[in-house]
Amino acid sequence: MFKENLLKGKRILVTGGGTGLGKEIAAKYLALGAELWLAGRRGGVLEDTAKELMAKHGGRVRTQSVDIRDAAAVDAMVQRIWDEGGPLTGLVNNAAGNFISPTKDLTPNGFNAIANIVFHGTFYVTHAVGKRWIAGGDKGTVLSILVTWVHTGSPYVVPSAMSKAGLHVMTKSLAVEWGRFGIRLNAIAPGPFPTEGASKRLRPGGGFDDSSKMNPMRRVGKMEELQNLATFLMADGCEWLSGETIAVDGAGYLATGSGAYFTELDKLSDADWERMRAMIKAQNEKDRAGRTA
Ligand code: HXC
């Protein structure tokens, strides 16, 4: 779909780039010639991903372990990137956290665990990068990975839906405020693209079959479809495209609203939720054991 070296000369930071959608987007950017920084909380996972991607595609991938909930750590990371080779040309806001839970059972801590990553953390990274672009007179592109819930809302993932909706508004607001500096912001709202992080916390009992059945195209997303859109939005040639959140979901949210995801969880019993919570917690603990930030 794209010519070789389309992204040559681009320097792009992908948050949450060690796994899931972030890793897939990073792989495509690297294959098209971009130089990459991957950030995340688990240094070992980032290192493994960087090695794997460079072995496959060549090029240069550097890593930085950081928890984006920590604004000072985010600023130090971005300063390091600028110090080690100059300004970024692009930022992919991909890092996120989420789990399904009846909203009545959430504690303030549970709400904050998600909102601090998605809503606050994504702002910290965008701000740290954007203010440097403006100070240096550099142009740049921000691409945020949202979800179709920004349009529909979604039951059982309310902290995520609220936080991602905030980023949808950030995208529109800053596209206007920073347009005159040559900075553009867009977002992708993916439908279901199953990854381990999402499956283990959003479908701990198993697959995405129900959302496939309800989708107009009767399937979930193919990773290359997401990679291609992320590449188009990061490449030169569409600079006037800014402030948009583009859904890639087989027209799923138009057909079903928020119903395609979690409405079926209405039928779970308290015992079912207890089991789900245990599975999610086991995954959280496994991830936490690998954290270096
Ligand atoms: C209720 C829960 C819970 C659960 C955690 N908590 N899991 N409450 N049900 N299943 C509560 C805890 O009890 C605690 O509150 C609080 O949340 C913080 O929990 P920790 O485990 O200490 O949090 P932390 O280690 O900071 O981990 C953050 C996390 C974790 C968000 C909970 O899941 C994470 O780091 N996730 C990152 C990866 C991820 O989630 N990927 C999926 C992204 S999918 P108390 O009060 O007990 O202290 C996505 C949307 C995509 O973003 C859409 C796809 C379709």
Side-chain angles (χ1 to χ4, degrees), residues 56-233:
K56 208 161 163 197
H57 303 293
R60 185 160 194 209
V61 182
R62 278 171 284 180
T63 65
Q64 171 75 49
S65 79
V66 71
D67 186 337
I68 64 168
R69 290 178 280 199
D70 180 343
V74 166
D75 202 65
M77 167 185 71
V78 174
Q79 188 57 48
R80 178 188 159 204
I81 293 173
W82 251 248
D83 291 345
E84 289 188 18
L88 292 169
T89 61
L91 163 66
V92 179
N93 284 320
N94 167 77
N98 202 359
F99 52 76
I100 49 168
S101 173
T103 304
K104 71 177 175 53
D105 296 336
L106 286 175
T107 61
N109 250 353
F111 179 86
N112 290 338
I114 294 166
N116 286 345
I117 298 172
V118 181
F119 186 71
H120 293 263
T122 304
F123 176 78
Y124 298 151
V125 183
T126 307
H127 181 253
V129 170
K131 72 181 185 187
R132 285 175 173 81
W133 279 336
I134 293 168
D138 300 306
K139 294 183 175 176
T141 297
V142 178
L143 176 59
S144 298
I145 306 303
L146 304 182
V147 64
T148 50
W149 312 329
V150 303
H151 300 301
T152 61
S154 181
Y156 302 105
V157 283
V158 168
S160 166
M162 289 170 65
S163 300
K164 296 258 185 190
L167 301 180
H168 173 59
V169 173
M170 179 188 81
T171 298
K172 296 200 271 195
S173 308
L174 289 180
V176 177
E177 187 175 331
W178 290 352
R180 70 196 171 93
F181 302 114
I183 298 170
R184 62 195 184 102
L185 295 96
N186 291 296
I188 297 178
F193 283 82
T195 63
E196 189 192 350
S199 302
K200 292 273 166 62
R201 294 184 180 91
L202 304 181
R203 303 277 170 179
F208 277 83
D209 298 350
D210 290 342
S211 46
S212 285
K213 274 184 224 137
M214 291 169 80
N215 188 277
M217 296 190 183
R218 304 291 184 269
R219 64 173 174 88
V220 294
K222 293 181 193 158
M223 207 50 87
E224 74 210 49
E225 294 167 330
L226 182 83
Q227 291 172 318
N228 288 338
L229 179 58
T231 300
F232 169 74
L233 290 171

Side-chain angles (χ1 to χ4, degrees), residues 10-67:
K10 303 280 185 215
R11 300 179 74 239
I12 302 168
L13 168 63
V14 183
T15 66
T19 53
L21 302 186
K23 178 179 173 184
E24 299 288 344
I25 292 170
K28 185 74 177 178
Y29 286 175
L30 189 68
L32 288 166
E35 198 181 301
L36 293 183
W37 282 89
L38 306 181
R41 286 176 289 179
R42 289 173 290 161
V45 170
L46 290 172
E47 277 306 313
D48 290 348
T49 296
K51 278 190 205 130
E52 181 191 324
L53 295 184
M54 285 190 286
K56 208 161 163 197
H57 303 293
R60 185 160 194 209
V61 182
R62 278 171 284 180
T63 65
Q64 171 75 49
S65 79
V66 71
D67 186 337

